[in-house]
Amino acid sequence: MADDGIELFIGLIESIDTPGAVDVCRGLLSVDEQIRADRFKFERHQRQYVFAHAMLRLALTRAAPEVEPTDWSFSTGRYGRPFVAAPATPLHFSLSHADGCVACVVSKHETVGVDVETVSRRVAPLSTALRFFAPEEVETLRTLPEPAAIERFFDYWTLKEAYLKARGFGLNLPLDAFAMQVSREAIKISFKPDIADDPAGWRFSLCSPSPSHRLAIADGSRAAGGLRITCNAWPLQEAAE
């Protein structure tokens, strides 16, 4: 893996949930992870959690083949951000899952985040934005017809979540403390004056893993040039063999 590269792994549940796959993936998890999976009320959420966390372990092992998937252990930082606790490694990651999709990124720099969301046509973009988003984002949504406003709403939402994950803040930084600007040419970020961050240090990417999902990546490595992302459709069937 290149020092400034990002490995993105995506799994659509409908394609990876093959017979026996969930059992194989569950076997890769720690006891604590298995217990957390069992706490979900609905089976689909249990399976989603299992696939996501197994995928993370397999993704890390792809970057560090000397480590078995079952040998990774994790801890959390001050605001709940997970990180590799052992073995000692230069690898960092971000993990996200939504109904029907799991995704993670692996990188050699810490300030990387990914978020995937299920796109819902039933969302009321303006009323939700008025509660959470920056004023300039709300104004942009006001100017768009509904189909485009819904698309832009999920652009904003995933980009914001990806940035928060990359910073390791969780929701301890309000969503209206920074604003996203999305155009065909570039994706940029701006901050309120009291936020200690440099907009020039951030790069972003958006994609749609399926017609039902929107995914964003945030990268604060300050590396020159554009994002170097390698996208992998995660071959869970290989783990089952």
Side-chain angles (χ1 to χ4, degrees):
M1 178 187 295
D3 288 345
D4 61 346
I6 295 173
E7 293 280 340
L8 167 65
F9 299 86
I10 301 172
L12 296 176
I13 301 299
E14 63 180 11
S15 63
I16 63 178
D17 195 2
T18 56
V22 72
D23 293 330
V24 171
C25 289
R26 185 181 175 89
L28 300 177
L29 306 189
S30 68
V31 173
D32 286 345
E33 288 171 327
Q34 293 178 14
I35 291 173
R36 291 191 194 103
D38 292 340
R39 288 175 181 164
F40 287 97
K41 180 178 179 180
F42 298 107
E43 184 182 1
R44 73 177 188 277
H45 295 150
Q46 294 177 8
R47 299 171 81 85
Q48 183 174 284
Y49 179 95
V50 168
F51 283 130
H53 288 261
M55 182 174 69
L56 170 62
R57 289 174 172 273
L58 292 163
L60 288 168
T61 291
R62 175 172 286 191
E66 69 279 7
V67 182
E68 292 295 327
T70 53
D71 289 343
W72 297 101
S73 63
F74 308 100
S75 188
T76 54
R78 178 181 177 185
Y79 297 111
R81 177 179 180 167
F83 62 88
V84 175
T89 175
L91 297 176
H92 301 274
F93 69 89
S94 180
L95 180 66
S96 184
H97 46 85
D99 277 346
C101 185
V102 294
C104 72
V105 290
V106 176
S107 176
K108 288 186 178 180
H109 58 267
E110 184 176 5
T111 52
V112 63
V114 66
D115 186 63
V116 63
E117 301 289 341
T118 302
V119 178
S120 172
R121 298 299 167 184
R122 294 174 293 177
V123 72
L126 192 56
S127 62
T128 305
L130 284 167
R131 294 178 57 198
F132 298 109
F133 288 181
E136 50 265 58
E137 293 167 331
V138 174
E139 289 308 309
T140 297
L141 292 174
R142 288 185 190 276
T143 68
L144 297 174
E146 185 167 289
I150 292 173
E151 291 180 7
R152 184 56 50 85
F153 171 85
F154 282 103
D155 289 347
Y156 287 157
W157 192 273
T158 53
L159 287 165
K160 285 173 170 287
E161 291 284 350
Y163 168 77
L164 290 176
K165 289 183 176 183
R167 287 294 304 272
F169 283 161
L171 293 177
N172 290 279
L173 182 66
L175 290 174
D176 62 357
F178 58 100
M180 306 303 307
Q181 298 88 41
V182 180
S183 69
R184 291 183 179 180
E185 292 74 29
I187 303 171
K188 298 180 179 180
I189 191 170
S190 60
F191 303 98
K192 285 185 175 180
D194 59 337
I195 302 300
D197 204 346
D198 178 10
W202 288 92
R203 302 173 299 174
F204 299 91
S205 178
L206 283 166
C207 70
S208 295
S210 82
S212 302
H213 298 95
R214 196 64 166 149
L215 181 147
I217 295 173
D219 170 52
S221 66
R222 300 178 182 273
L227 277 173
R228 295 183 58 185
I229 301 172
T230 302
C231 185
N232 305 273
W234 189 247
L236 282 173
Q237 65 272 17
E238 292 182 3
E241 294 176 353

